[in-house]
Amino acid sequence: MTTVRVLTGIKPSGTPHLGNYVGAIRPTVRASREPGIDSYLFLADYHALISTHDPARVQRSTLEIAATWIACGLDPERVTFYRQSDIPEIPELTWLLACVCGKGLLNRAHAYKAAVDKNTADGRDADDGVTMGLFMYPVLMAADILMFNAHRVPVGRDQIQHIEMARDLASSFNHHYGEHFTLPEAVIDEQVATLPGLDGRKMSKSYDNVIPLFAPREQLRRLIMGIVTDSRAPGEPKDTEGSALFQIYQAFATAEETAALARDFAAGIAWAEAKERLFERIDREIAPMRATYDDLMAHPQRVEALLRAGAAKARVQATPFTARLRAAVGLRPLDDLAPPPAAEATGTKVAPPVFKQYRESDGRFYFKLTDAKGHVLLQSTGFDSPKAAGQAVARLKAEGWSGSPDLHALLEAYAPAERIDAALALLREA
Ligand code: TRP
């Protein structure tokens, strides 16, 4: 089965509420468990710097959002879950993409245009208060996506233009430097549930009508008791249609539970009782996650360790890929330009990089990797058996040097990682 790479970024800002859970977190966690999906999920903390200059808030939000996703069942073993700022290759790629990005393209970005329009309407300078971070936002986002050659990017409608820009930048780079990038596609979930808030309008921070996802049990109860209802008395039949309470219940309950509540509405259940039922139903789903969340918030070092492991996993791809991109644009070691060895001058073909395996007088098994010019790139220490040495060679071939950090202790590197990766990539292609 071919795997589909699905990637999404989460901006660490604000405290997640039930609407975020039902509309984004829960469906994304479920989707990440489907077979055939290689899922990348990251905290877009570089993006967060665009909207706040409060360092403590960035740090706090990063912890809260990471803890939330893990508590909601995201499995860091299964998905690649990382923090954008742990991947230095991403800002590096941002620059490479910026250099194939027309400024006019960014002038047309909705978020930037909205800021300009507002300034103009208010009689201010067009770019008043606009940082280069805001202006470059789509380029950074393109780097997020293209770094892992994502096929699909699930996003909200407001982000579609950004995915189109990522495609534009990928095409432009490919055109100049060869086929390096997959063109990503936006995935918009048409039937993504929007949850009503306390006042019946869409649950949203801007309406101040939210129920925080991990509010303590008693606060959750109090908030739910405050959901707006009509004034029908106990015993009077109630409408499910247009009832925020009913819609929220539906987002958590099974079809049978929902049907049972609908019958009780028709039979005139008291609002207080209906709210109690809603509270218990939500709490049943949320309570175990809340416990995990509280535990993670009390042990930020665990979250840190998970994110670092995620970054290491992500960089297994990002580091060698960036090495190839650097080489593609001409950021190359200068010794490549050294005069060719004698062999080439006499017209014989240049040898490809090779692994040589041999046995030393100490009875142990060794190998080394030499490049086309005969320079030693890697030298192994002694292995107990030819099989063990062979396995290390096979892994280096398959995973690259940067991709097999656990082998580094067994090897002496005589060249920069990029060159070793490039030689191994060449071998793999051959
Ligand atoms: N811009 C996205 C948002 O505000 C977050 C984001 C950053 C993102 N990088 C991304 C989403 C890459 C998808 C892919 O929601």
Side-chain angles (χ1 to χ4, degrees):
M1 180 168 16
T2 55
T3 55
V4 177
R5 289 184 295 276
V6 180
L7 175 143
T8 296
I10 312 147
K11 226 159 65 173
S13 60
T15 304
H17 52 70
L18 287 185
N20 301 135
Y21 173 71
V22 169
I25 303 173
R26 191 173 63 185
T28 304
V29 169
R30 283 187 187 156
S32 75
R33 294 168 180 271
E34 276 166 29
I37 299 286
D38 188 9
S39 181
Y40 296 78
L41 225 98
F42 67 96
L43 301 156
D45 56 349
Y46 281 135
H47 278 106
L49 301 185
I50 295 166
S51 41
T52 174
H53 292 154
D54 178 349
R57 201 170 125 201
V58 173
Q59 185 186 28
R60 183 81 194 167
S61 292
T62 303
L63 173 61
E64 279 183 7
I65 304 291
T68 297
W69 281 78
I70 298 164
C72 290
L74 189 81
D75 180 357
E77 292 288 322
R78 189 174 177 128
V79 313
T80 308
F81 182 54
Y82 55 99
R83 175 169 48 191
Q84 187 185 30
S85 67
D86 281 340
I87 318 291
E89 291 83 357
I90 288 175
E92 182 163 10
L93 178 55
T94 302
W95 185 253
L96 302 189
L97 294 174
C99 294
V100 296
C101 178
K103 176 173 175 287
L105 183 78
L106 299 184
N107 287 341
R108 290 188 288 277
H110 298 322
Y112 172 67
K113 259 191 9 201
V116 168
D117 290 349
K118 180 149 198 322
N119 280 332
T120 311
D122 296 350
R124 282 189 299 264
D125 181 77
D127 282 326
D128 194 56
V130 175
T131 63
M132 283 307 292
L134 176 66
F135 191 64
M136 293 272 293
Y137 187 115
V139 187
L140 176 57
M141 184 159 159
D144 291 331
I145 298 168
L146 301 181
M147 176 58 77
F148 299 99
N149 272 320
H151 298 106
R152 289 195 208 154
V153 186
V155 283
R157 295 208 155 275
D158 60 323
Q159 299 290 320
I160 297 179
Q161 190 194 31
H162 293 150
I163 312 301
E164 281 163 5
M165 289 181 164
R167 293 171 62 90
D168 287 345
L169 297 184
S171 301
S172 171
F173 190 98
N174 286 350
H175 174 73
H176 287 288
Y177 300 115
E179 291 295 312
H180 294 278
F181 296 125
T182 306
L183 304 195
E185 269 173 51
V187 185
I188 312 295
D189 191 346
E190 297 294 349
Q191 60 215 11
V192 71
T194 53
L195 205 68
L198 297 171
D199 58 0
R201 290 182 294 173
K202 174 182 183 227
M203 189 179 288
S204 160
K205 215 171 51 183
S206 38
Y207 294 145
D208 196 20
N209 64 355
V210 306
I211 303 178
L213 175 56
F214 293 129
R217 189 177 146 90
E218 271 322 300
Q219 190 194 340
L220 176 66
R221 186 161 192 285
R222 230 175 316 130
L223 285 166
I224 287 172
M225 294 304 151
I227 293 173
V228 175
T229 57
D230 61 31
S231 53
R232 282 180 221 191
E236 278 186 74
K238 315 220 160 26
D239 276 335
T240 55
E241 185 82 21
S243 161
L245 193 158
F246 188 80
Q247 279 180 54
I248 302 174
Y249 187 80
Q250 194 165 23
F252 286 87
T254 62
E256 296 81 65
E257 288 168 327
T258 305
L261 186 65
R263 282 195 299 276
D264 292 338
F265 263 52
I269 188 174
W271 284 125
E273 193 189 331
K275 286 175 176 177
E276 192 62 38
R277 179 121 44 112
L278 173 62
F279 163 64
E280 287 301 344
R281 186 60 191 82
I282 294 181
D283 196 57
R284 170 141 64 96
E285 180 161 331
I286 300 296
M289 301 190 243
R290 185 196 295 126
T292 308
Y293 177 80
D294 290 343
D295 193 39
L296 289 169
M297 289 303 287
H299 299 93
Q301 63 277 23
R302 284 190 208 149
V303 179
E304 181 64 32
L306 284 171
L307 290 176
R308 288 208 191 168
K313 197 158 134 191
R315 292 190 75 198
V316 166
Q317 289 175 62
T319 306
F321 187 44
T322 304
R324 286 206 294 284
L325 297 175
R326 288 176 60 102
V329 301
L331 306 175
R332 299 173 183 161
L334 302 183
D335 52 6
D336 282 1
L337 294 175
E344 199 173 63
T346 60
T348 26
K349 264 177 77 190
V350 180
V354 276
F355 275 107
K356 288 192 192 116
Q357 295 196 44
Y358 53 95
R359 194 172 190 185
E360 281 282 9
S361 52
D362 62 2
R364 296 168 68 78
F365 299 86
Y366 292 78
F367 64 82
K368 60 184 170 194
L369 173 67
T370 23
D371 73 4
K373 291 168 195 143
H375 302 304
V376 177
L377 301 176
L378 282 180
Q379 165 68 64
S380 82
T381 51
F383 288 84
D384 293 337
S385 68
K387 190 170 170 215
Q391 279 168 346
V393 168
R395 281 204 45 212
L396 283 165
K397 275 191 195 159
E399 293 160 31
W401 168 249
S402 314
S404 50
D406 55 307
L407 294 180
H408 292 190
L410 305 172
L411 297 156
E412 193 87 47
Y414 293 115
E418 286 85 357
R419 275 185 62 200
I420 301 174
D421 278 322
L424 290 168
L426 229 109
L427 262 180
R428 203 171 318 142
E429 276 155 30

